[in-house]
Amino acid sequence: MKILALGGSAHSYSACVMKDGRIVSAVEEERLNGRRHSYFPDGGMELARCRAAAYCLKEAGLTASGVDRIVTDDLNNPLYYAKYVSSIRYTTHHFAHACSAFYTSSFEEAAVLVADGIGSADEATGEYETVTSFRADSKGLEALDGIRGSFIDPVTGARHELSDPLALYNSLGGMYKWVTLGLGFAFLEDGKTEALSACGTDRWVEPFGSFYRLDGEGRFSQSKAEIAAMRAFIADKLREEGDAFRAKADIARAAQEHLQRIVAAICLRLHRRTGSRRLCLAGGVAFNRRLVAFLEANTPFRDIYVSPAAGDTGNAVGSALAEYLHPAGTCGPPDRRRHAALRIKKGNAESIPFDPCLGRLYSPADIDEAAAKLDGGRLERVPAADYERTVADLLAAGCLVGRFQGRSPLGPGPNGSRCILADPRSRDVRTRLDASKRRPAFLPYGAAVQGDKLGHYARKGGPAPYMEKVHILTERAAEALPAVTHADGSCALLTVERSLQPGLYRLLGEFEHTAGTGALLLTSLNVHGRPMAETPLEAFRTALELRLDYLSIEGRLYKIRAG
């Protein structure tokens, strides 16, 4: 069976093509239109082009007429699938999220938690999905319970319009969004609030608890009045405080701690319902790396899986899996023959069940063409007989090196295929990189380490194949790696497996031989606020704009000269 699936909601659009249960191509729309999250708040016919679908079909050697099914979730923007509307099939938003999490994991059974801002609507009740829990095993996905948001005032019974920004109650993702906006960050910049929280104190943690309700069974609720009071509290504190950064950090800390408390309570209830020690997370809330680490340390769940595309871009994959495994809809068991075929392991069976690198593989001719367009004396091809050793030496000397290798990843996290590498021992390198990317100094950088040496750097916590959580660094590592150690002693680590990313694994080994540490600063190959580079031409342009020293691209090394 051949399936074209589209992901998204009012932002974060994507597409994928599945052939007989295997995702053969997937890409985010933002990589093709250059607009972060493909967020067009005033609409925009650009979305109707649906470039990601054409991209994936071409990579799969198909046309739209050559696929058996076209599917999306029912929260997606109709403009995005307009050209396919006559044959589109739908699944629900949270069910697609749940499929994207469980069926790409290596777990045979698990509890699944989906939490975001808003999901599909129940037309009978006027309620919207905000948090949904599932039991997952060979029998499929069973929805257990959830938290629903409403546009109907629980006191007066009045129905609010979607345009009312405070109208949706009981949204966990919405609560964190309002804090983010109140701090002066933009929509979809929740990661900045999370990062800022590590710099704050706990002075406002207690009063923040008055802005929502959480009962003993892990049921969260937040009314319109409570949302308004929370926003007023934030505005008042920012107005009163002379040190704006300190005030913002303390507000972020309060919001982060309460998010963790709420989700942990929900997870305890889910554990009691399922008895599982494995948890799959999806929805925008799952991108909160501090939350994932908190759940790992403070709930009975010992194996936690977060899809690399846990947000709405992942619902292309989730919708494809829902259609493939549950052709009769969300009720009933999956097609067991198809389900069994997905239980394919790579390398070490439990390490990485899903490879997010599903974009186009570019040829040497593509690289030559891109270099020729931009050369003008600014690119110099550098011979490197021992490639990883050469790059390691450059990094140890303080160079900033872009890395473009293999297929582009689905999801926002850098995984070694589209990244910038630097020496994590050097504060000067960190300062230079901040200036190049025009990045706020409080935002942390992650680090890549060999998976079998995770214990050399982290006090506790398991592997992070998608950089999906933070680790608290050992005292020795925190002292040795100032460029990646955040204010609370944490760092988001990417654990690199030899069988899955052999080139990056070898590079880490060579850097350890040269520099005495096997960790490398790692961040996305992009200009701050723009999508990750997709093509060789974009990689060269990014390297030039950021004034990187070198670009490593598909086994070739280019020196970047200042223009």
Side-chain angles (χ1 to χ4, degrees):
M1 177 183 287
K2 304 177 189 68
I3 298 171
L4 168 65
L6 306 177
S9 53
H11 55 82
S12 304
Y13 304 96
S14 62
C16 78
V17 168
M18 172 184 277
K19 289 183 178 180
D20 297 325
R22 186 171 69 90
I23 305 295
V24 296
S25 181
V27 72
E28 297 179 45
E29 189 73 21
E30 68 165 33
R31 309 279 174 80
L32 308 177
N33 64 27
R35 182 72 168 261
R36 192 78 175 96
H37 302 294
S38 296
Y39 180 54
F40 297 90
D42 299 320
M45 290 305 296
E46 170 63 33
L47 286 179
R49 299 181 68 178
C50 195
R51 299 187 192 201
Y55 173 110
C56 292
L57 288 168
K58 182 178 180 180
E59 286 305 295
L62 296 170
T63 62
S65 61
V67 299
D68 300 299
R69 301 281 172 79
I70 302 176
V71 62
T72 189
D73 79 69
D74 59 10
L75 194 65
N76 206 345
N77 187 334
L79 193 61
Y80 191 57
Y81 56 83
K83 65 174 69 175
Y84 306 112
V85 70
S86 62
S87 53
I88 200 88
R89 291 163 61 95
Y90 302 93
T91 187
T92 58
H93 191 67
H94 278 199
F95 187 70
H97 271 314
C99 288
S100 77
F102 177 61
Y103 291 126
T104 64
S105 79
S106 60
F107 302 153
E108 299 295 340
E109 58 80 26
V112 181
L113 183 68
V114 177
D116 57 12
I118 185 171
S120 300
D122 183 331
E123 294 183 2
T125 64
E127 295 179 327
Y128 291 77
E129 301 168 322
T130 62
V131 178
T132 309
S133 61
F134 299 82
R135 177 188 286 113
D137 54 27
S138 62
K139 297 178 182 178
L141 282 159
E142 176 192 0
L144 299 177
D145 56 21
I147 297 165
R148 298 293 177 260
S150 176
F151 288 93
I152 301 175
D153 190 303
V155 177
T156 67
R159 180 182 293 274
H160 296 278
E161 298 299 322
L162 283 167
S163 58
D164 181 348
L166 301 182
L168 182 66
Y169 319 128
N170 306 339
S171 171
L172 194 53
M175 182 183 80
Y176 207 81
K177 175 194 73 174
W178 286 121
V179 175
T180 297
L181 295 176
L183 292 174
F185 302 131
F187 179 50
L188 302 174
E189 289 189 338
D190 292 353
K192 291 184 176 180
T193 302
E194 180 203 342
L196 189 59
S197 71
C199 306
T201 70
D202 63 0
R203 61 173 168 156
W204 290 329
V205 169
E206 184 176 350
F208 207 88
S210 65
F211 302 134
Y212 67 90
R213 285 148 290 147
L214 182 67
D215 68 17
E217 291 297 314
R219 297 186 182 92
F220 160 83
S221 60
Q222 187 180 43
S223 69
K224 182 175 182 177
E226 287 165 333
I227 297 170
M230 181 181 71
R231 296 183 76 204
F233 176 88
I234 294 170
D236 289 345
K237 295 304 179 187
L238 294 181
R239 185 168 51 251
E240 293 168 3
E241 292 282 324
D243 184 350
F245 180 83
R246 173 55 55 203
K248 287 182 178 182
D250 292 347
I251 290 166
R253 167 78 177 272
Q256 180 67 28
E257 290 214 7
H258 282 279
L259 177 73
Q260 292 171 179
R261 292 180 189 181
I262 294 165
V263 179
I266 294 170
C267 284
L268 288 173
R269 174 180 172 83
L270 181 54
H271 173 71
R272 289 194 296 268
R273 292 287 304 274
T274 64
S276 180
R277 294 177 69 83
R278 296 182 173 89
L279 175 67
C280 296
L281 295 172
V285 173
F287 279 137
N288 192 300
R289 291 167 172 159
R290 280 177 167 69
L291 170 64
V292 177
F294 184 86
L295 297 178
E296 186 177 56
N298 294 280
T299 71
F301 294 109
R302 288 296 169 261
D303 296 307
I304 298 180
Y305 172 79
V306 184
S307 164
D312 290 351
T313 56
N315 272 9
V317 171
S319 296
L321 286 163
E323 181 66 25
Y324 183 71
L325 291 169
H326 296 266
T330 60
C331 298
D335 182 312
R336 295 196 178 191
R337 177 184 58 80
R338 294 176 180 174
H339 186 193
L342 290 178
R343 306 284 97 186
I344 298 172
K345 308 294 192 296
K346 295 177 63 177
N348 296 327
E350 297 298 323
S351 58
I352 300 182
F354 175 68
D355 186 350
C357 294
L358 294 161
R360 178 183 170 190
L361 187 63
Y362 293 90
S363 69
D366 294 323
I367 298 168
D368 289 340
E369 182 181 355
K373 286 182 178 179
L374 292 176
D375 193 347
R378 293 185 295 169
L379 304 175
E380 177 188 345
R381 178 83 179 271
V382 178
D386 190 336
Y387 189 74
E388 278 78 21
R389 171 66 63 84
T390 300
V391 174
D393 289 344
L394 292 170
L395 290 165
C399 294
L400 300 179
V401 180
R403 189 171 194 269
F404 183 106
Q405 185 69 37
R407 305 173 77 180
S408 60
L410 187 69
N415 71 347
S417 64
R418 301 287 189 278
C419 65
I420 299 168
L421 300 172
D423 186 347
R425 303 170 301 163
S426 171
R427 288 186 175 88
D428 290 341
V429 165
R430 161 69 189 259
T431 300
R432 181 186 162 199
L433 188 55
D434 278 344
S436 293
K437 294 196 83 171
R438 297 188 289 277
R439 201 169 185 264
F442 71 84
L443 289 181
Y445 290 101
V449 300
Q450 292 174 330
D452 49 6
K453 295 183 179 179
L454 175 60
H456 295 186
Y457 305 96
R459 292 183 189 176
K460 59 182 179 180
Y466 311 125
M467 200 184 272
E468 67 270 30
K469 60 189 171 187
V470 298
H471 290 84
I472 298 298
L473 298 180
T474 64
E475 186 176 342
R476 181 178 179 182
E479 183 179 348
L481 309 174
V484 297
T485 303
H486 204 19
D488 61 350
S490 68
C491 179
L493 296 176
L494 173 74
T495 51
V496 179
E497 304 299 330
R498 186 200 306 267
S499 60
L500 294 164
Q501 298 188 65
L504 184 55
Y505 187 94
R506 287 195 300 272
L507 177 56
L508 290 165
E510 292 291 349
F511 187 74
E512 183 172 23
H513 177 78
T514 300
T517 179
L520 281 171
L521 182 154
L522 180 143
T523 187
S524 297
L525 183 60
N526 73 315
V527 175
H528 185 64
R530 299 184 201 165
M532 198 181 300
E534 162 62 27
T535 67
L537 183 60
E538 290 167 358
F540 280 119
R541 283 175 172 163
T542 301
L544 288 163
E545 183 171 352
L546 295 179
R547 296 179 179 270
L548 303 183
D549 298 299
Y550 291 86
L551 178 66
S552 164
I553 180 165
E554 299 295 0
R556 303 180 183 196
L557 189 62
Y558 288 85
K559 182 176 178 59
I560 309 298
R561 298 187 180 278

